Amino acid sequence: MRVAFFSTKPYDRQFFEQANTGHGFELTFFEPRLTAETSQLADGYEAVCAFVNDRLDSEVLARLAEGGTKYIALRCAGFNNVDLKRAHELGLHVVRVPAYSPYAVAEHTVGLMLTLNRKIHRAYSRVREGNFSLNGLLGFDLHGKTVGIVGTGQIGEIVANIMAGFGCHLIGYDMNVNEECIKHGMNYASLEELLEGSDIVTLHCPLTPETHYLINEKTIEHLKPGAMLINTSRGGVIDTRAVIKGLKSGRIGSLGIDVYEEESAYFFEDISHQLITDDVLARLLTFPNVLVTGHQGFFTQEALTAIAETTLRNLKELDQHRNCHNEVK
Ligand code: NAI
């Protein structure tokens, strides 16, 4: 089977070529993002392998189907960038990697919390300039604080486990109760109760019509004054403009994000030679109490190995049986 990869980076090639030794697929790595303009690169390829910021809207899917593509293999967990209804109408099978290393994202999430709390990002630059002053670096003990986890699936559960280890109290918000989280001492509550009771709020739900702008001007009003907000799920779960207002008023004490609603224009690219024309992102980057990472939560050796192996296994299953247990229905 011929597979066309989009949004390819050197690390994708490395991990996929390694995983392909047992499969023998014909892999072609294209650097551009998948868009209406680049979709013709996939002409004649039975499978397309796409990533989080590739656009799989109605137009692109129709173009891919016209060019002979049958399978869309997402090398990620989220599928909010795919028009699934249209894919099914066109007879395209969409597969994903539902789990690769939830530890990777959970550990990065906790990294953001620790860095923001103890201002390690500021201390790092300060000390390198010969400034050993502690003014402005005051943090708080995590022990005894309350962490609110929105979305207590695979990643949320591991965050709960780690934070329980710090001696934190846990509040969860999810329509599905996770028994493992309850074992870590989690109490489930409404979103408002979670926001009102948490010193740190961390988001681990998928981006869906229900979770779009879950954190907005109204819900921010429920936050404890000075609470820390962390988002490593998808950018659209928070209304960034409302969050900026919350930061300016002090309602939000600090913000750590690995995802941004308009990230596709910037993330995964080196644009250090350009100006950032997105004023919302540019404003975020001016706050000393905001830490932005460029969607790197998944970026560990273990996760990339698992992503490559599962993606190629998904394609093998489709090739052999025309169905796959990781198909998105
Ligand atoms: P999961 O499917 O195991 O857990 C998601 C949880 O969210 C489920 O328990 C579900 O019931 C809950 N949920 C769904 N809708 C909800 C709603 N309206 N309100 C409250 N809870 C809701 O997914 P997993 O593996 O834990 O991943 C979570 C998200 O993390 C993914 O959807 C993805 O967007 C993001 N992610 C980010 C990565 C990164 O590199 N930053 C990498 C991988 C995933």
Side-chain angles (χ1 to χ4, degrees), residues 53-165:
N53 290 324
D54 287 315
R55 196 184 329 136
L56 292 134
D57 59 14
S58 177
E59 185 187 357
V60 170
L61 291 170
R63 185 67 192 77
L64 292 178
E66 209 180 286
T69 298
K70 294 193 188 98
Y71 308 128
I72 309 287
L74 299 170
R75 53 181 192 277
C76 54
F79 48 88
N80 52 284
N81 53 335
V82 187
D83 183 340
L84 281 179
K85 192 169 164 276
R86 186 76 180 117
H88 294 149
E89 280 166 11
L90 291 162
L92 289 165
H93 295 263
V94 180
V95 290
R96 66 175 183 132
V97 185
Y100 32 96
S101 169
Y103 299 99
V105 186
E107 290 168 11
H108 188 73
T109 302
V110 177
L112 292 177
M113 289 179 195
L114 291 171
T115 306
L116 278 170
N117 175 27
R118 304 305 294 268
K119 282 92 176 161
I120 295 168
H121 54 308
R122 300 181 63 197
Y124 173 80
S125 333
R126 222 184 243 202
V127 166
R128 286 170 72 95
E129 294 291 322
N131 177 357
F132 297 91
S133 156
L134 300 183
N135 292 331
L137 301 184
L138 191 66
F140 54 82
D141 283 7
L142 283 169
H143 183 90
K145 296 296 181 299
T146 300
V147 179
I149 301 180
V150 177
T152 58
Q154 299 174 86
I155 297 170
E157 177 191 317
I158 295 163
V159 172
N161 187 14
I162 298 172
M163 299 321 289

Side-chain angles (χ1 to χ4, degrees), residues 108-122 228-232 238 247 253-260 267 281 284-296:
H108 188 73
T109 302
V110 177
L112 292 177
M113 289 179 195
L114 291 171
T115 306
L116 278 170
N117 175 27
R118 304 305 294 268
K119 282 92 176 161
I120 295 168
H121 54 308
R122 300 181 63 197
M228 180 189 291
L229 177 65
I230 305 286
N231 186 14
T232 60
I238 65 176
L247 283 161
S254 54
L255 172 74
I257 55 172
D258 187 45
V259 286
Y260 169 58
F267 282 20
L281 179 61
L284 273 183
L285 296 175
T286 66
F287 289 99
N289 51 346
V290 170
L291 183 55
V292 181
T293 53
H295 208 140
Q296 69 176 84

Side-chain angles (χ1 to χ4, degrees), residues 261-292:
E261 50 183 320
E262 301 297 336
E263 69 179 48
S264 60
Y266 299 103
F267 282 20
F268 307 117
E269 302 302 330
D270 176 4
I271 55 138
S272 51
H273 55 290
Q274 278 172 236
L275 290 175
I276 293 181
T277 52
D278 178 332
D279 290 346
V280 176
L281 179 61
R283 180 68 180 101
L284 273 183
L285 296 175
T286 66
F287 289 99
N289 51 346
V290 170
L291 183 55
V292 181

